[in-house]
Amino acid sequence: MATFFDRLSAIQTYRCASVALIAAMILLPVLMMRLGALEWVAFLAGLPVYIALVVLTFRRLRDANLSGWWIVLMILAVNLGPRWDGLEPLTFHVSHLIHLIPVALGWLVPAPGNVAEKSDLPQGLRRG
């Protein structure tokens, strides 16, 4: 399971996987509610997708040498600011965009490359 998340946490595949997971996280519960499922059943259907996004984002942030504490922004729910009532089961608060900050960091921050260590010794001399 760890190798699966290792492969997906590379920056290019992370971008595609995060977009797919965000779309599934929103559309799956909404579609289930529109088809007449109970709210808690729709919530349980979207929960594994959300957990996968959190785990994948955490691994991507760790690969980029960023703090894992950015994930707290994805977990805490704050309903501030204007509210938009969309389709029947969908309500959107502007403050919910805070949840996407760690995902955006995962998109933008590259993983550190193999940086060769610079020696403080003159050229040709070695420690040893």
Side-chain angles (χ1 to χ4, degrees):
M1 185 76 147
T3 58
F4 174 73
F5 284 112
D6 284 337
R7 281 185 283 142
L8 285 179
S9 65
I11 193 165
Q12 270 312 107
T13 52
Y14 172 75
R15 289 177 180 164
C16 297
S18 64
V19 167
L21 287 173
I22 289 171
M25 184 176 64
I26 294 170
L27 295 177
L28 182 64
V30 169
L31 179 64
M32 289 184 70
M33 292 288 294
R34 298 296 267 170
L35 294 176
L38 298 173
E39 288 180 10
W40 65 271
V41 174
F43 168 76
L44 288 179
L47 188 62
V49 178
Y50 175 71
I51 291 172
L53 179 66
V54 169
V55 169
L56 187 62
T57 302
F58 177 77
R59 297 203 47 116
R60 174 68 192 108
L61 293 176
R62 297 303 293 165
D63 286 346
N65 286 337
L66 291 175
S67 174
W69 285 100
W70 284 102
I71 294 298
V72 172
L73 293 177
M74 292 182 77
I75 297 171
L76 293 179
V78 180
N79 296 329
L80 298 174
R83 183 176 99 180
W84 175 69
D85 294 322
L87 300 173
E88 170 60 30
L90 185 64
T91 300
F92 177 75
H93 292 268
V94 175
S95 63
H96 289 178
L97 293 175
I98 293 173
H99 300 297
L100 296 177
I101 290 174
V103 177
L105 285 174
W107 273 53
L108 300 175
V109 178
N114 293 334
V115 178
E117 290 185 28
K118 229 178 178 184
S119 176
D120 56 346
L121 295 175
Q123 188 174 358
L125 294 178
R126 294 185 306 206
R127 286 195 175 117

